[in-house]
Amino acid sequence: MPSPTTDPVATRRVSLLTLGCARNEVDSEELAGRLAAGGWELAAEPEDSDVVVVNTCGFVESAKKDSVDTLLAASDTGKKVVAVGCMAERYGNELAESLPEADAVLGFDHYADLAERLDDVVAGRKVESHTPSDRRKLLPISPVQRPTAAESVEVPGHAQHGWGPRVLRTRLDTSPVAALKIASGCDRRCSFCAIPSFRGSFVSRQPDEIVAEAMWLAENGVKEVFLVSENSTSYGKDFGRDGARALELLVPRLAEVPGIERVRVSYLQPAETRPGLVKAIATTPGVADYFDLSFQHSSETVLRRMRRFGSTDSFLALCEQIREYSPNAGIRTNVIVGFPGETEEDVAELERFLNGARLDAVGVFGYSDEDGTEAETFDGKLDESVVAERVARISALVEELTSQRAEDRIGDFVDVLIEQAEDGEDPIGRAAHQAPEVDGECVLIETDDLPALAVGDFVRCEVVDSEGVDLIVRPAPPEADR
């Protein structure tokens, strides 16, 4: 790969708008790095840009609608608009035909030369829209053959090859928290999920590369990194025999990076979460004792139709194993209700699990068909009114149980990372059991002798009250309950 150059004469201005998950946020910062290296100046506002790049989400119907709405709003600014990301990769020229407001619809294979493609867009040169394909077919079936092959395939989040010590990433905000991608793609074949078809097969990043990026993030003011992928428990499966413990060996290395005070792991598959990994996350200093476990359901019958593994009892045993190491560990999940064929007995089984698991946060989603998935062809589809009733029923239970879980933390001591500290407002942050955006937060009650707090500070606090899943906390002496 040639060395990056910047031609001041050709500098253009571009803004990036990101939708969807933390993985997309990493991809946008990688794209920002590519564009900066290609001579583009980053603008904070679409109105100040020559081109607005929208990093779309294509996971569920509501996310697709948000992506389209954002593209239309960007077009209303009068600037050139380019769609990238999952929705653009998944639908490509079909999206381009239905959305003429977008000046180009580009897939992952365009990322390496995105700066040049944006030059074409500004110059009025036609850029052919992406033609979708099944990205699982781009890499070998055998995981151990993929690391070398992946160097010739565009895999978002794996752009460091050929750039030497430089990290090809530009921060798009000043948050003390940043996502750090450890892998891309997924080899699972969940019957309701289309992600592997457009994200491709699972590929791990090399540990040294990940650690180097964590060091760069620390140098840029990051205090907490959270590790993201489509399936973090598969990390290292493509390293061969030595890869089985790759994640539990990587986590302590990241915790030792100067400046990084907390490491958080996300996107764990319960059936692949091994005891060694549980211990590493729950007991390693500097690692949040936090478990983002994708249970999805707990009825064995529903799980088998989902092409997943586990049961209420095995999931409860995993929760118990976690709490044997760390009684106050945070555990969160998402569940899908109304899956084709789901019975009242299945819902009752899910309720049994939720009542026994004492989870800190639960996302509840009603099933809906996704294009091209196996579940789209299943019989036993439930009426929309039945799905909505079950969503409401499980949501009400979850609200009650997670509020109780937060109440149980009253009297505990937590380390809070400050993320908002405005004059006249109570500082807001997160404890170890609270991930960015998806979980609750901590609201600090300031005391007279408390020094001024800044974003990025860690504060030892005592939990004095709760509001739903949020905690009300009061700063405590640093040595409190260590």
Side-chain angles (χ1 to χ4, degrees):
M1 179 179 294
S3 299
T5 60
T6 300
D7 179 2
V9 177
T11 296
R12 308 272 194 175
R13 290 174 64 81
V14 59
S15 59
L16 290 108
L17 303 178
T18 306
L19 295 99
C21 64
R23 299 183 295 272
N24 254 19
E25 294 173 8
V26 177
D27 292 349
S28 284
E29 293 197 346
E30 176 189 300
L31 292 177
R34 289 182 183 274
L35 291 170
W40 283 80
E41 181 181 339
L42 298 175
E45 300 296 334
E47 292 79 6
D48 299 329
S49 309
D50 296 296
V51 180
V52 182
V53 175
V54 180
N55 191 353
T56 61
C57 179
F59 180 39
V60 293
E61 207 59 42
S62 59
K64 297 173 199 173
K65 183 180 183 304
D66 288 344
S67 294
V68 170
D69 289 346
T70 302
L71 287 162
L72 292 174
S75 177
D76 288 343
T77 65
K79 307 300 181 180
K80 300 287 188 181
V81 177
V82 173
V84 298
C86 291
M87 189 176 183
E89 175 64 36
R90 186 175 181 184
Y91 295 104
N93 41 24
E94 178 185 340
L95 176 62
E97 291 172 6
S98 63
L99 197 71
E101 291 84 355
D103 295 277
V105 175
L106 307 180
F108 298 152
D109 291 334
H110 290 100
Y111 282 15
D113 56 2
L114 185 62
E116 290 84 355
R117 297 293 72 75
L118 297 194
D119 286 337
D120 291 337
V121 169
V122 170
R125 295 187 289 270
K126 182 175 176 58
V127 179
E128 291 297 328
S129 299
H130 165 65
T131 300
S133 63
D134 188 340
R135 295 192 72 84
R136 291 171 294 190
K137 298 179 180 179
L138 300 181
L139 293 171
I141 294 176
S142 171
V144 295
Q145 296 176 353
R146 292 177 193 162
T148 301
E151 295 181 19
S152 60
V153 173
E154 192 61 39
V155 181
H158 294 240
Q160 308 307 323
H161 299 297
W163 289 81
R166 173 175 177 174
V167 172
L168 188 60
R169 178 173 180 175
T170 296
R171 297 231 58 204
L172 295 175
D173 61 41
T174 58
S175 171
V177 184
L180 177 55
K181 187 173 285 191
I182 62 171
S184 288
C186 186
D187 288 342
R188 299 185 69 91
R189 294 296 181 264
C190 301
S191 61
F192 57 84
C193 183
I195 289 175
S197 65
F198 57 86
R199 275 288 181 176
S201 299
F202 185 89
V203 184
S204 302
R205 294 181 66 194
Q206 291 297 320
D208 289 348
E209 187 178 292
I210 296 169
V211 172
E213 188 164 338
M215 295 174 66
W216 178 86
L217 288 170
E219 292 166 0
N220 283 271
V222 171
K223 298 296 182 67
E224 176 182 317
V225 294
F226 64 106
L227 311 185
V228 300
S229 70
E230 276 74 26
N231 177 9
S232 296
T233 36
S234 283
Y235 179 73
K237 65 180 287 184
D238 43 350
F239 293 165
R241 183 175 299 176
D242 297 333
R245 298 180 60 236
L247 184 56
E248 59 190 85
L249 295 175
L250 173 65
V251 166
R253 287 187 62 188
L254 292 171
E256 293 173 357
V257 171
I260 298 299
E261 298 190 43
R262 188 154 69 195
V263 177
R264 184 182 304 278
V265 184
S266 58
Y267 301 106
L268 301 173
Q269 290 289 344
E272 299 177 24
T273 303
R274 297 174 297 274
L277 179 59
V278 170
K279 182 177 181 180
I281 294 174
T283 65
T284 302
V287 177
D289 49 353
Y290 171 84
F291 293 81
D292 175 15
L293 291 159
S294 177
F295 290 117
Q296 302 297 352
H297 211 285
S298 72
S299 162
E300 287 189 77
T301 303
V302 174
L303 288 168
R304 297 305 175 269
R305 285 176 69 84
M306 288 180 168
R307 304 290 182 251
R308 297 175 67 85
F309 303 95
S311 65
T312 295
D313 291 336
S314 67
F315 291 165
L316 289 175
L318 176 57
C319 293
E320 182 62 29
Q321 180 186 91
I322 290 168
R323 292 190 172 116
E324 285 177 0
Y325 286 114
S326 178
N328 289 327
I331 307 176
R332 84 164 326 272
T333 196
N334 293 320
V335 297
I336 298 173
V337 294
F339 195 77
E342 182 189 63
T343 65
E344 281 293 332
E345 290 76 15
D346 295 323
V347 179
E349 188 70 0
L350 176 58
E351 290 173 325
R352 182 169 78 89
F353 167 67
L354 293 171
N355 277 297
R358 296 173 57 238
L359 304 176
D360 291 271
V362 182
V364 182
F365 299 89
Y367 171 81
S368 61
D369 286 337
E370 266 298 299
D371 297 340
T373 61
E374 183 184 6
E376 187 181 24
T377 68
F378 284 176
D379 57 11
K381 299 284 178 62
L382 303 181
D383 188 85
E384 289 184 8
S385 63
V386 175
V387 176
E389 183 276 326
R390 291 180 181 178
V391 168
R393 171 177 159 188
I394 296 300
S395 295
L397 175 63
V398 161
E399 182 176 358
E400 177 185 356
L401 294 172
T402 54
S403 294
Q404 290 174 0
R405 176 66 173 154
E407 288 177 11
D408 290 343
R409 293 186 182 275
I410 295 174
D412 290 347
F413 291 86
V414 292
D415 293 312
V416 177
L417 171 60
I418 303 300
E419 294 184 280
Q420 298 178 41
E422 300 178 6
D423 290 340
E425 301 288 340
D426 290 327
I428 294 175
R430 290 178 300 100
H433 70 281
Q434 298 167 320
E437 298 183 7
V438 294
D439 300 331
E441 60 189 18
C442 291
V443 179
L444 277 77
I445 301 174
E446 295 193 77
T447 57
D448 293 337
D449 58 348
L450 179 70
L453 295 174
V455 171
D457 288 345
F458 271 88
V459 185
R460 187 70 171 169
C461 296
E462 180 183 4
V463 181
V464 296
D465 203 352
S466 64
E467 294 181 0
V469 296
D470 297 334
L471 302 181
I472 312 301
V473 301
R474 180 171 53 214
E479 68 278 4
D481 194 47
R482 291 288 182 181

